[in-house]
Amino acid sequence: MKTTAADGAFPDLSVIVPVFNAEAYLPALIDQIFSLRDNGLSVELICVDDASSDGSVAVLQELAQTNSGIHVIEQELNQGAGLARNLAWEQATGRYTMFFDADDKLHGSVMADAIRDMDANPEVDVAVFAYRYEREASASFTEMNYDDKRILDALLNGTSVAIGTIETMARLLTFTNYPWNKIIRTAHYKDQGMRFGRTKVNNDILGHWYSLILSRSIMVRSAVNCTHVVHPQGMNLTNAFGMERLSLFDALHETYDFLEARPAFRRRFAHHYWSLAVRLMGWVRPRLDPLLQLEAEMRYAQLLSRIDIGDLTRIRRRHSPNLANSIVGHLT
């Protein structure tokens, strides 16, 4: 059953979950999501099965029989989490939307507080949370990665909640582009045409930039809303070393297309975009199959060649000569 405007009320929150061979995680996920109702939230869950080969669809259908508010979409072909999210996004009816992963852990107790604060601040279109990280092999928790923690700490400046615009919080553009540590105001982003990228991996880069750049205001919260779990044999990008890594460049091109279509934003945030591109390439290099290194460097050079000369000049003069030198050095 799916709550819609025709039923007389919109749910407070739509939770969108791409599912691929996640049979073992789905019962716990459903329990975590619908525990939000204990905090006074009405919730709809939209799961998109991305052509799973296990029993994920059967589990979802069984759970939908006993849990109102679950909507299941079945894909005939595996097309990746980005397209799955976009498909579900078209059907989301909640006042707010959260994109989650089937094998992560939701800390739902913080969600109601965030939604109440967003209701009280109608110009805030996105709330960004802290997160935790778990590597299943060691069963240990860590905090956010160092760069992300540094960014949030600086923006919060000792407080638990901070509100600003993309101009004052532009450092979030280089925050790791996870989809699940945010709540977005559904109507605003549907009006803005928000979407995730078309690539099977790294599709969340585009969604991340959409949600931040096209916001009126941003809320940053110190509360943890998710533990991101990396399974040793799972589908996480951390475990991938082959051709799928090269889709990073397609994802970065797609995000740059988004910026080129909005020249004022491109000029204002080019140094953040190119800083992200350089940092991601530095992350990919040591994690790539050696046989793909040459192609990766060629594709990286093709991406860098798109830089606007005016943007490059501003990066050199106003922001980071080292970044400008890195870009130029790779092109010459």
Side-chain angles (χ1 to χ4, degrees):
M1 177 180 178
K2 188 179 179 187
T3 306
T4 66
D7 300 316
F10 293 102
D12 294 315
L13 182 66
S14 295
V15 182
I16 290 173
V17 180
V19 174
F20 181 69
N21 291 346
E23 176 183 4
Y25 308 107
L26 292 173
L29 173 74
I30 303 301
D31 287 344
Q32 292 169 30
I33 289 173
F34 286 107
S35 70
L36 295 169
R37 292 171 173 171
D38 298 336
N39 295 289
L41 297 179
S42 54
V43 182
E44 71 172 0
L45 171 61
I46 308 175
C47 292
V48 181
D49 183 79
D50 198 22
S52 294
S53 58
D54 66 356
S56 292
V57 170
V59 171
L60 287 171
Q61 290 174 340
E62 181 179 353
L63 291 167
Q65 294 299 314
T66 56
N67 294 271
S68 63
I70 298 179
H71 183 55
V72 182
I73 302 172
E74 297 179 42
Q75 293 271 72
E76 292 185 1
L77 299 174
N78 179 269
Q79 300 184 72
L83 291 180
R85 292 185 183 113
N86 290 339
L87 184 61
W89 172 235
E90 293 175 2
Q91 301 193 27
T93 65
R95 297 187 302 114
Y96 300 95
T97 297
M98 178 183 188
F99 298 91
F100 208 67
D101 286 347
D103 54 355
D104 287 339
K105 299 176 182 178
L106 178 66
H107 304 282
S109 60
V110 306
M111 308 295 282
D113 288 342
I115 286 176
R116 280 192 291 268
D117 285 352
M118 292 179 77
D119 283 343
N121 295 274
E123 293 293 306
V124 171
D125 293 316
V126 56
V128 180
F129 296 85
Y131 63 87
R132 287 179 183 153
Y133 206 87
E134 178 182 346
R135 291 188 179 275
E136 193 179 60
S138 60
S140 62
F141 289 88
T142 67
E143 298 301 320
M144 297 177 288
N145 72 50
Y146 174 79
D147 289 333
D148 288 350
K149 187 176 188 306
R150 180 173 52 82
I151 290 169
L152 276 196
D153 286 349
L155 294 175
L156 288 166
N157 194 26
T159 65
S160 60
V161 179
I163 296 176
T165 64
I166 184 57
E167 283 77 14
T168 61
M169 293 190 168
R171 282 172 289 185
L172 286 172
L173 291 168
T174 56
F175 197 89
T176 305
N177 42 271
Y178 297 125
W180 32 253
N181 70 323
K182 305 178 187 71
I183 298 175
I184 65 172
R185 192 177 297 273
T186 307
H188 173 75
Y189 288 105
K190 287 202 171 189
D191 288 343
Q192 297 293 330
M194 177 180 165
R195 64 181 177 84
F196 286 82
R198 299 180 181 88
T199 56
K200 282 196 173 184
V201 295
N202 297 122
N203 50 75
D204 38 14
I205 298 175
L206 181 61
H208 182 76
W209 280 64
Y210 253 110
S211 67
L212 295 173
I213 282 186
L214 299 184
S215 64
R216 292 169 296 175
S217 291
I218 301 165
M219 178 183 292
V220 175
R221 305 181 72 90
S222 63
V224 172
N225 80 317
C226 175
T227 294
H228 177 52
V229 182
V230 177
H231 305 281
Q233 304 301 322
M235 300 298 294
N236 308 82
L237 185 58
T238 304
N239 298 323
F241 300 90
M243 287 294 295
E244 59 270 40
R245 287 278 194 202
L246 298 184
S247 68
L248 168 66
F249 303 106
D250 297 322
L252 286 170
H253 275 293
E254 195 171 5
T255 303
Y256 196 69
D257 291 342
F258 162 78
L259 287 175
E260 279 201 323
R262 298 162 178 82
F265 285 122
R266 192 213 71 225
R267 287 190 293 271
R268 283 154 61 191
F269 303 115
H271 61 293
H272 292 289
Y273 173 85
W274 292 111
S275 176
L276 174 67
V278 170
R279 182 164 62 86
L280 288 176
M281 184 59 182
W283 185 82
V284 162
R285 276 193 184 101
R287 295 169 173 84
L288 193 65
D289 186 318
L291 295 176
L292 298 174
Q293 291 283 353
L294 179 59
E295 182 174 354
E297 296 296 339
M298 292 175 58
R299 296 187 66 175
Y300 182 48
Q302 290 171 352
L303 175 69
L304 295 179
S305 70
R306 296 186 66 180
I307 192 168
D308 180 90
I309 189 64
D311 293 343
L312 180 61
T313 301
R314 281 186 289 274
I315 291 170
R316 184 181 297 281
R317 292 179 177 176
R318 301 180 188 175
H319 301 291
S320 173
N322 288 339
L323 175 60
N325 290 340
S326 174
I327 293 169
V328 172
H330 202 85
L331 291 173
T332 56

